[in-house]
Amino acid sequence: EVVDSSGGIDRKALGDIAFSDHAALATLEGIVHPYTTRELAVRVAAPARQPEPPPALVIEAVKLIEVGRHRDVDSTWIVVADPEVQRERLIHGRRWSAQEADARIQAQAPLEPRLPLVDLIIENNGSLDALEAQVDRAWRQVVTKDW
């Protein structure tokens, strides 16, 4: 059902299934999370073996907190946007139906329990320039160790 004509994953078909059925989403996460956890460990270890490791390593992971990996990093950031903004972006940016957008938003873990576990909340209700400015300021603090 989710394999496309070239043998790859039809991400839309997979998303339609996973985000309309909590059990299907849980099954998908049970398949994906062990692999991504192992891959994350490999990728995090690699820069540390370099002669001159980078000053910071960024992990972009939508479920970092839910799987408990936030305890393994020095700083956890979360990007938030109002549900109305998310919905508008999904409908107009990705050209999803209102039902598809609502299903994805409703499938997200609740925000409130995650907030006490993060070091920085980045508000993404405005323009891309405003978002970039927030991230740039925070990044400079991290690399200068002014955190």
Side-chain angles (χ1 to χ4, degrees):
E1 293 177 55
V2 298
V3 177
D4 65 21
S5 59
S6 66
I9 298 294
D10 179 337
R11 294 175 62 92
K12 180 172 180 349
L14 181 60
D16 289 347
I17 294 168
F19 293 106
S20 64
D21 178 351
H22 291 294
L25 181 58
T27 298
L28 177 62
E29 290 176 347
I31 294 167
V32 172
H33 287 176
Y35 169 79
T36 56
T37 297
R38 287 190 304 273
E39 187 65 21
L40 178 60
V42 168
R43 290 184 184 207
V44 167
R49 293 190 299 269
Q50 294 176 357
E52 292 185 37
L57 177 67
V58 175
I59 301 168
E60 179 187 4
V62 70
K63 298 275 186 166
L64 189 76
I65 293 172
E66 289 81 357
V67 298
R69 302 298 297 189
H70 65 288
R71 293 186 286 269
D72 300 332
V73 299
D74 296 324
S75 177
T76 303
W77 301 2
I78 192 168
V79 179
V80 300
D82 293 337
E84 302 81 30
V85 172
Q86 293 177 40
R87 186 176 197 266
E88 187 72 18
R89 288 174 178 165
L90 292 171
I91 291 170
H92 295 290
R94 295 195 183 173
R95 298 192 174 164
W96 288 355
S97 71
Q99 295 79 15
E100 289 171 314
D102 292 342
R104 297 292 174 103
I105 293 167
Q106 290 168 5
Q108 295 176 9
L111 181 60
E112 292 74 23
R114 293 183 283 163
L115 294 180
L117 304 173
V118 303
D119 301 298
L120 178 66
I121 300 168
I122 296 175
E123 300 275 341
N124 187 16
N125 289 316
S127 68
L128 184 57
D129 287 340
L131 175 65
E132 287 176 353
Q134 288 180 76
V135 173
D136 186 57
R137 276 191 305 274
W139 178 251
R140 282 192 233 166
Q141 289 177 331
V142 168
V143 297
T144 62
K145 299 189 185 337
D146 187 23
W147 190 245

